[in-house]
Amino acid sequence: MFQLSKKVEYGLIAIRHMAAGGPGQIHTAKEIADRYHIPYELLAKVMQKLAKNYILARNPAELKVAAIINAIEGKPNVTIIQCEAESPENCIIHDTCTIKNPLVKLQLNINRVFEDLSIGEMV
Amino acid sequence: MFQLSKKVEYGLIAIRHMAAGGPGQIHTAKEIADRYHIPYELLAKVMQKLAKNYILARNPAELKVAAIINAIEGKPNVTIIQCEAESPENCIIHDTCTIKNPLVKLQLNINRVFEDLSIGEMV
DNA sequence: CCGAATCTGGACTATTATGGTCGGGTTTAA
DNA sequence: TTAAACCCGACCATAATAGTCCAGATTCGG
């Protein structure tokens, strides 16, 4: 619980690698997979998602970890509370839930943390 | 990913409920389970863990969400990076991993968020 | 003091998410 | 032009999660 998924880890490794190489460099998914001993097929999928979301095109200095997570996980955001993540109708305690509102604030603080770290700072 | 587990949600609901009732009140797990439509057996287990870690005995104003998560999940802390959570030897990329160090800082910020919210603020 | 309600805690099952694999067709670059 | 790399959907194995069942111990109200 509360771990980055392998996909996100791999994505971060790949992006950081590309950022460290400089803007002129060309990198293949194969090369990165070999270098860091990451299963190629998995990394390839991750990078496809990143490419589709134009993550790879961005300036590392302005590329935040949050954007990468969202691109890979597909969700609009990291959502701590399950009631919020799914459709609230499905939540059996949705009207008796007393912890939702306080946790939304906490949520925002978490988001801020991920918005705060850029790839540029990781090279 | 990055959701509180049901166990933690249930634990928070229960603790908040008890805190809201005031210090004199007696609450049973059964009562809380019924009230919030939580499976009793599951809540019971969660509260057992909380009781063993003396969470229930603490002053809500000083009881942080972080302490509750740790008590329920058993882990010393929320650990973002998988390499760090398990034994580092098992990590196949443990010496080529370039993202570990930057993420540790992020980790600390996350921890801070959970250390920042007390039950007292949730009633 | 007795019985009902509640708690304890292990074992077990179901469901889901994750991590990883396979393979066939397509593109790209030397 | 052909080998390497990519795309992408389908698939599988494992592990974590959520929940259930139950039998024995405990507690509490009367």
Side-chain angles (χ1 to χ4, degrees), chain A residues 3-4 36 79-80 85 93, chain B residues 3-4 6 36 79-80 85 93:
Chain A
Q3 286 188 343
L4 298 181
Y36 296 97
T79 33
I80 293 186
I93 57 170
Chain B
Q3 285 188 342
L4 298 182
K6 287 288 180 194
Y36 296 97
T79 34
I80 294 187
I93 57 171

Side-chain angles (χ1 to χ4, degrees), chain A residues 49-91:
Chain A
K49 284 207 172 180
L50 293 175
K52 279 183 187 161
N53 290 75
Y54 305 103
I55 298 290
L56 302 181
R58 296 191 203 164
N59 178 357
E62 284 140 33
L63 178 55
K64 306 298 186 175
V65 171
I68 295 164
I69 294 178
N70 293 341
I72 294 175
E73 301 292 345
K75 297 162 196 168
N77 230 327
V78 166
T79 33
I80 293 186
I81 320 159
Q82 299 199 0
C83 318
E84 288 298 299
E86 327 147 359
S87 51
E89 310 84 72
N90 290 356
C91 184

Side-chain angles (χ1 to χ4, degrees), chain A:
Chain A
M1 168 198 190
F2 272 91
Q3 286 188 343
L4 298 181
S5 68
K6 286 288 181 194
K7 288 183 193 174
V8 170
E9 282 191 8
Y10 295 160
L12 288 172
I13 289 172
I15 290 179
R16 197 218 67 99
H17 177 79
M18 290 187 287
Q25 294 272 347
I26 302 257
H27 300 278
T28 70
K30 188 80 171 48
E31 170 216 336
I32 298 175
D34 287 347
R35 193 170 208 290
Y36 296 97
H37 307 106
I38 296 172
Y40 165 72
E41 334 268 348
L42 197 49
L43 180 62
K45 278 191 218 315
V46 167
M47 292 182 71
Q48 283 162 32
K49 284 207 172 180
L50 293 175
K52 279 183 187 161
N53 290 75
Y54 305 103
I55 298 290
L56 302 181
R58 296 191 203 164
N59 178 357
E62 284 140 33
L63 178 55
K64 306 298 186 175
V65 171
I68 295 164
I69 294 178
N70 293 341
I72 294 175
E73 301 292 345
K75 297 162 196 168
N77 230 327
V78 166
T79 33
I80 293 186
I81 320 159
Q82 299 199 0
C83 318
E84 288 298 299
E86 327 147 359
S87 51
E89 310 84 72
N90 290 356
C91 184
I92 46 171
I93 57 170
H94 100 280
D95 48 337
T96 48
C97 184
T98 49
I99 59 169
K100 196 164 51 189
N101 291 335
L103 288 182
V104 168
K105 284 185 200 162
L106 192 147
Q107 171 81 65
L108 294 176
N109 291 332
I110 300 270
N111 291 154
R112 207 167 293 139
V113 172
F114 288 106
E115 292 286 353
D116 219 47
L117 180 63
S118 74
I119 296 299
E121 298 169 72
M122 295 179 66
V123 302

